[in-house]
Amino acid sequence: MSGLQAVRGMHDVLPEELPRWRQLEEVFRTVSALFGYEEIRTPVVEYAQLYLRSVGDTSDIVTKEMYTFADRGGEQLALRPELTAGVVRALLQHGLFQRRSLWRLWYYGAAFRYERPQKGRYRQFHQYGVECFGSPFPESDVEVIVVAATVLQRLGIQRYELHLNTLGTLQVRQRYREALVEYFRSVRSALSPESQQRLERNPLRILDSKHPADQPVVAQAPIIWDFLDAESREHFDSVRRALEAGGIPVVLNPRLVRGLDYYTHTVFEFVSPQLGAQNAFGGGGRYDGLVESFGGPSVPAVGFAFGVERMLLLMTEMPCEEPVQVYVASQSMPEEAMRVAAQLRAAGYRTVTDLQRRSLKAQFREADRLRVPVVVLVAEQEWERGAVVVRHLQEQAQWECPLAELADHVARALSR
Ligand code: AMP
C-alpha cells in the first residue's frame, strides 16, 4: 500500500484515453434524448440501509462487495454499488411521482464494488443506465432494450448476444424458488461449498455459478418456464415478439437470473465472448415491486445498466479526437502570441501556444509532433505592420496576413 498509488481496482483516465470516454458519453446523451429520456444525477454516497432494502440483504453485492463506513457522525453510509436504488430514492424524496405518472430517466456515473480486480472488473467503475417508471406493459421493456441496442449500434459494438429470460411475477418467482431449494437440497453434497451456502439464502444465484462442480447440477435443475402463470407467459411472449419484429435477435436463456433481488418478469443481459470471464457488459430487467418496497406508490419500472469500462474493451475503432488545429509560434513575443491565440479561439479554432519560451525551431518541432496543420507565426517585422504569417505545414506554403483577417485565412488554410 502506498499513498502515491491509485487505490487497487480504481483507475485514472489519462488524456489519451479520454476521447473514447467522451465519445461514449456523447452517445449516451444523444441516444437517451432520442428516446425522450431525461438525465438524473444522484450522490455517490447513500445510507447503507438503502441498498439492504433494494439490492437485497442476501445478494453478493450487499454481503460481500459494498463499501460501507461510518461517517464522523456515526451514520452508516455506502458508496453506491449501482445507481438504480439512488434514483428511486430521489424520485420518492422529491415527490416526482405526484407530478407525473411516467418518468423516462437516464444516468451516468461511478459505482463501487469491493471485488477482486481482474480484466473488466474494478472496484470503481462507471455505469450508464436508463429507467422507465410508470408502465407495467411489455412496450416499456422493449423500449429500454431498444435504447440499449441503439447505443451499441452507434458505438459500433456488434459482436454480442442479448440473453433474455423472465422471472415471472413475485408469486411465480417464490414458487420457483421453493422448487429450486427442494431440488438443490436433494443434491446438496454435489454442489460447490459456495453454492451450498447460497442454497438457503439465495438459491437463484446458484444458477449463475461458474464453479465447474455446479455445472452438471445446474443443468438438471428445474427451469422457471415450467412455473410461469398466464400473465407472466403473456408478458414474456410479447417482449420476445416485439424484439423479433424490431430486428433485435435474442438468446432465450432460462437460467439467467441476474444478481439483484428486485427483478420480476423480464431480465436480460448483454454478453460478449470477447470479454473472457467477465463476459456480461450490461444487464437489466423489470422491477415492479421496488418503488413500493421503499414506501412509495405502486409504480412499475424497467431499466438497464451498462458497464462503461467493459464497453470500452469492446470498442475497436478509435473515435476521431479533437486535435489541435493551430499552433501560434512567436519569436520572443509571448504576450502577442497569447492575444493571437485568444482571437483564434474566439473564432472557434482549437489553438495552443508555446508556454516554455522555446526557440522558434523547437516550437515548429512541437507543432509537428502535435500534427497541427497550421502554424501562425508572430514576428516583430510583420507585427509592426499589423500582420502575422500563416504557414501550412504539409504544403510548406506560407503567406502574410493582416491580423484582422486572420480567422478567414486560417479557415482557408485548414480547408486545403
Ligand atoms: P450488474 O447490475 O451487476 O449486472 O452490473 C451492470 C453492469 O455493470 C455489468 O454488466 C458490468 O458491465 C458492470 N459492472 C458490474 N460490476 C463491475 C465491476 N466490478 N467492474 C467493472 N464493471 C462492472
Side-chain angles (χ1 to χ4, degrees):
M1 206 213 357
S2 154
L4 292 178
Q5 296 270 314
V7 173
R8 186 164 132 85
M10 304 201 180
H11 295 279
D12 303 307
V13 182
L14 300 179
E16 69 249 32
E17 302 162 59
L18 263 152
R20 278 153 49 87
W21 282 80
R22 269 199 302 267
Q23 188 201 18
L24 273 168
E25 291 162 14
E26 187 55 35
V27 167
F28 296 154
R29 237 191 311 278
T30 43
V31 173
S32 305
L34 192 63
F35 287 82
Y37 282 70
E38 298 173 279
E39 186 178 7
I40 184 164
R41 297 185 187 182
T42 60
V44 169
V45 177
E46 298 274 358
Y47 291 112
Q49 195 62 29
L50 181 76
Y51 302 106
L52 305 186
R53 295 172 65 150
S54 60
V55 178
D57 53 8
T58 61
S59 67
D60 285 355
I61 292 180
V62 165
T63 54
K64 294 196 293 218
E65 298 166 5
M66 206 152 71
Y67 278 92
T68 47
F69 59 97
D71 71 6
R72 288 175 194 274
E75 295 282 7
Q76 275 301 313
L77 304 181
L79 299 185
R80 61 187 181 195
E82 53 100 55
L83 279 72
T84 300
V87 169
V88 173
R89 182 211 36 79
L91 287 167
L92 290 173
Q93 181 174 337
H94 302 285
L96 297 193
F97 292 121
Q98 280 126 48
R99 300 224 308 254
R100 253 199 251 160
S101 64
L102 189 82
W103 284 94
R104 290 183 167 99
L105 298 172
W106 69 275
Y107 60 76
Y108 168 71
F112 304 83
R113 294 185 195 174
Y114 191 80
E115 297 190 84
R116 197 170 50 76
Q118 62 182 78
K119 183 183 167 204
R121 192 163 74 188
Y122 314 110
R123 289 180 174 176
Q124 174 178 309
F125 59 99
H126 295 76
Q127 289 192 333
Y128 158 75
V130 312
E131 317 282 6
C132 177
F133 294 93
S135 164
F137 301 114
E139 297 85 286
S140 57
D141 309 49
V142 173
E143 179 172 285
V144 300
I145 292 174
V146 174
V147 173
T150 308
V151 165
L152 297 178
Q153 189 216 335
R154 296 254 172 133
L155 291 172
I157 298 175
Q158 285 164 335
R159 286 187 48 209
Y160 68 85
E161 284 178 356
L162 168 55
H163 287 207
L164 185 73
N165 191 23
T166 177
L167 297 176
T169 59
L170 280 178
Q171 294 77 3
V172 165
R173 185 174 159 157
Q174 191 52 32
R175 277 208 307 277
Y176 178 57
R177 188 182 192 281
E178 284 159 18
L180 269 185
V181 170
E182 193 179 327
Y183 165 75
F184 283 130
R185 268 196 198 132
S186 72
V187 291
R188 181 177 203 128
S189 55
L191 286 170
S192 67
E194 203 179 9
S195 289
Q196 292 193 21
Q197 273 180 13
R198 283 185 176 138
L199 211 166
E200 312 294 338
R201 281 191 294 120
N202 199 347
L204 266 70
R205 287 294 283 173
I206 299 178
L207 299 177
D208 254 2
S209 165
K210 301 235 158 55
H211 197 290
D214 294 330
Q215 302 309 312
V217 187
V218 167
Q220 298 296 317
I223 62 171
I224 188 137
W225 297 347
D226 295 330
F227 292 77
L228 298 181
D229 55 15
E231 177 197 341
S232 304
R233 199 176 296 279
E234 175 50 29
H235 192 100
F236 190 39
D237 287 345
S238 333
V239 172
R240 277 167 42 188
R241 274 198 310 271
L243 290 174
E244 205 172 300
I248 297 179
V250 296
V251 176
L252 300 177
N253 177 356
R255 297 201 164 75
L256 175 66
V257 292
R258 309 259 312 127
L260 314 181
D261 275 0
Y262 49 58
Y263 290 109
T264 51
H265 289 293
T266 313
V267 284
F268 54 92
E269 220 156 58
F270 291 88
V271 174
S272 167
Q274 280 164 272
L275 288 172
Q278 304 302 318
N279 65 354
F281 61 95
R286 174 166 285 282
Y287 48 97
D288 288 346
L290 186 64
V291 178
E292 204 170 6
S293 79
F294 277 19
S298 166
V299 178
V302 57
F304 71 81
F306 276 133
V308 176
E309 284 80 357
R310 292 190 195 165
M311 296 176 100
L312 283 165
L313 291 171
L314 296 174
M315 280 169 58
T316 42
E317 281 166 41
M318 243 336 243
C320 49
E321 295 175 51
E322 296 198 333
V324 173
Q325 293 167 299
V326 187
Y327 190 100
V328 180
S330 90
Q331 217 162 20
S332 312
M333 299 177 72
E335 284 179 27
E336 291 79 357
M338 283 171 75
R339 291 220 301 274
V340 171
Q343 186 183 334
L344 286 165
R345 291 185 194 116
Y349 297 108
R350 295 185 293 275
T351 306
V352 297
T353 57
D354 162 63
L355 290 179
Q356 296 167 307
R357 302 203 174 175
R358 288 174 294 188
S359 70
L360 206 51
K361 198 166 149 218
Q363 293 181 52
F364 270 98
R365 227 183 298 128
E366 176 69 0
D368 253 349
R369 193 189 63 77
L370 292 169
R371 289 183 226 264
V372 175
V374 174
V375 172
V376 171
L377 175 63
V378 182
E380 215 166 287
Q381 232 182 359
E382 290 83 11
W383 192 259
E384 278 171 8
R385 293 197 289 271
V388 290
V389 175
V390 177
R391 185 175 169 86
H392 193 285
L393 287 191
Q394 214 177 2
E395 294 184 359
Q396 302 202 336
Q398 67 175 44
W399 62 93
E400 191 176 316
C401 116
L403 212 45
E405 295 165 25
L406 182 58
D408 289 343
H409 282 257
V410 166
R412 226 170 298 146
L414 284 172
S415 65
R416 282 159 88 132

